């Protein structure tokens, strides 16, 4: 099996209902229907329904940026796996560095979200969103030579739930590259992606080759092709550059393997 490639837009906390619809519509119009490449949009929760409407009957998939760690109950402000599944979300980002570092989400919480997504998909919700588990080191951790230690720690769900893959995806996003305009060089990114793939191989065996590992952090139309040309980079998780249709579509074009 050749693993698919994925270009995902993480819109973060940007836009209005109108602008979300306009952006989604422009992407639907511009995207090529190419079975080997998946295109995913992750708008804020409150714009999911609008974006799902705009993308209906198109190859563009829609995902959420976060999910609660409990199936249901008195958890003010949280959104459940079942709610996202009912809406039609194909994916959900978990453990994004902004969740980890701005909102203090610990590995254990992210692990519970991963477990719930996996168990839901296996049990009562076969259409539960697929996890996009984000990992990545801070600049301080990189400078201290701890990049792979940090990533191995953040990859605990791989060891706990090996059968969640290749349904689940991984996104390597060095924290120092997110929103800074300073992307990892293709070689730097490939080095970490190869280490992630080796770790997957050790834990998952053959499924490692089928597991999608995205790169994120200052990907733009100008640097996407060289990043995506790397053998272990299977696409991108795009923040700032996903908010402009032309730029995002150019990044999708760059994803050819
Ligand atoms: P960026 O964000 O492309 O704006 O650096 C990437 C991300 O946070 O997923």
């Amino acid at each position: 099996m050749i693993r698919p490639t994925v270009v995902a837009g993480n819109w973060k906390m940007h836009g209005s209902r109108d602008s979300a619809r306009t952006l989604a519509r422009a992407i639907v119009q511009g995207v090529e229907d190419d079975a080997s490449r998946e295109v995913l949009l992750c708008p804020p929760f409150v714009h999911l329904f609008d974006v799902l409407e705009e993308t209906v009957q198109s190859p563009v998939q829609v995902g959420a940026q976060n999910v609660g760690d409990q199936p249901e109950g008195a958890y003010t402000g949280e959104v459940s796996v079942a709610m996202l599944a009912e809406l039609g979300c194909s994916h959900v980002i978990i453990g994004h560095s902004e969740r980890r570092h701005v909102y203090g989400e610990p590995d254990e919480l992210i692990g519970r979200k991963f477990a719930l997504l996996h168990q839901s998909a296996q049990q009562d919700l076969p259409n539960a969103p697929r996890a996009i588990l984000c990992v990545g080191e801070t600049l301080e951790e990189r400078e201290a030579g701890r990049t792979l230690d940090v990533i191995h720690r953040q990859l605990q769900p791989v060891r706990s739930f090996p059968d969640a893959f290749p349904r689940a995806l991984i996104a390597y996003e060095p924290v120092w590259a997110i929103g800074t305009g300073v992307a990892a060089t293709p070689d730097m990114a490939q080095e970490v992606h190869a280490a992630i793939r080796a770790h997957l191989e050790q834990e998952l065996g053959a499924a490692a080759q089928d597991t999608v590992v995205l790169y994120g952090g200052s990907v733009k139309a100008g640097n996407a092709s060289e990043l995506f040309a790397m053998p272990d980079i299977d696409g991108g998780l795009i923040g700032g550059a996903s908010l402009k249709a032309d730029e995002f579509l150019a990044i999708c074009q760059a994803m050819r393997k």
Side-chain angles (χ1 to χ4, degrees):
M1 171 174 155
I2 300 174
R3 54 184 178 267
T5 58
V6 180
V7 180
N10 174 9
W11 293 0
K12 308 194 179 181
M13 196 172 73
H14 290 292
S16 61
R17 285 183 72 185
D18 262 6
S19 71
R21 276 194 178 262
T22 306
L23 181 55
R25 199 174 307 141
I27 290 166
V28 165
Q29 277 162 7
V31 84
E32 284 168 23
D33 197 354
D34 173 349
S36 69
R37 183 184 54 211
E38 297 179 15
V39 175
L40 171 71
L41 305 180
C42 301
F45 283 128
V46 292
H47 299 155
L48 280 169
F49 186 73
D50 289 279
V51 173
L52 279 156
E53 272 197 349
E54 293 293 340
T55 54
V56 86
Q57 286 177 343
S58 85
V60 176
Q61 305 180 79
V62 178
Q65 298 174 17
N66 195 12
V67 69
D69 66 322
Q70 299 297 325
E72 66 172 340
Y75 300 103
T76 302
E78 296 294 304
V79 169
S80 74
V81 170
M83 291 169 190
L84 297 180
E86 183 182 29
L87 212 49
C89 290
S90 59
H91 296 72
V92 61
I93 299 169
I94 57 171
H96 188 278
S97 82
E98 286 148 18
R99 299 304 319 170
R100 291 179 189 271
H101 297 290
V102 183
Y103 294 98
E105 289 195 8
D107 289 328
E108 297 69 41
L109 175 64
I110 296 158
R112 282 199 300 277
K113 295 180 184 196
F114 190 95
L116 185 60
L117 284 161
H118 173 54
Q119 283 152 3
S120 304
Q122 279 198 320
Q123 292 160 16
D124 47 337
L125 282 174
N127 64 336
R130 296 169 66 178
I132 302 178
L133 173 67
C134 298
V135 300
E137 80 288 4
T138 62
L139 186 58
E140 198 186 8
E141 289 162 343
R142 173 165 280 263
E143 285 175 351
R146 291 176 45 225
T147 298
L148 293 185
D149 290 348
V150 168
I151 286 167
H152 285 161
R153 197 196 71 222
Q154 293 171 336
L155 286 175
Q156 177 61 42
V158 174
R159 299 186 284 285
S160 303
F161 304 102
D163 52 342
F165 297 86
R167 189 177 193 272
L169 296 73
I170 291 168
Y172 169 55
E173 298 204 302
V175 179
W176 46 270
I178 295 178
T180 58
V182 184
T185 64
D187 287 339
M188 278 164 99
Q190 168 58 25
E191 194 183 348
V192 178
H193 278 245
I196 292 174
R197 188 85 58 202
H199 188 75
L200 294 175
E201 230 136 56
Q202 198 182 312
E203 301 299 328
L204 313 177
Q209 286 306 323
D210 298 334
T211 299
V212 169
V213 185
L214 306 177
Y215 168 79
S218 296
V219 178
K220 302 191 171 23
N223 62 10
S225 315
E226 45 178 17
L227 285 161
F228 295 165
M230 292 291 143
D232 289 299
I233 299 183
D234 307 319
L237 182 53
I238 322 296
S242 71
L243 296 171
K244 293 186 202 113
D246 290 352
E247 176 102 12
F248 185 69
L249 288 166
I251 295 171
C252 294
Q253 281 288 338
M255 186 66 259
R256 296 215 170 278
K257 281 218 166 128

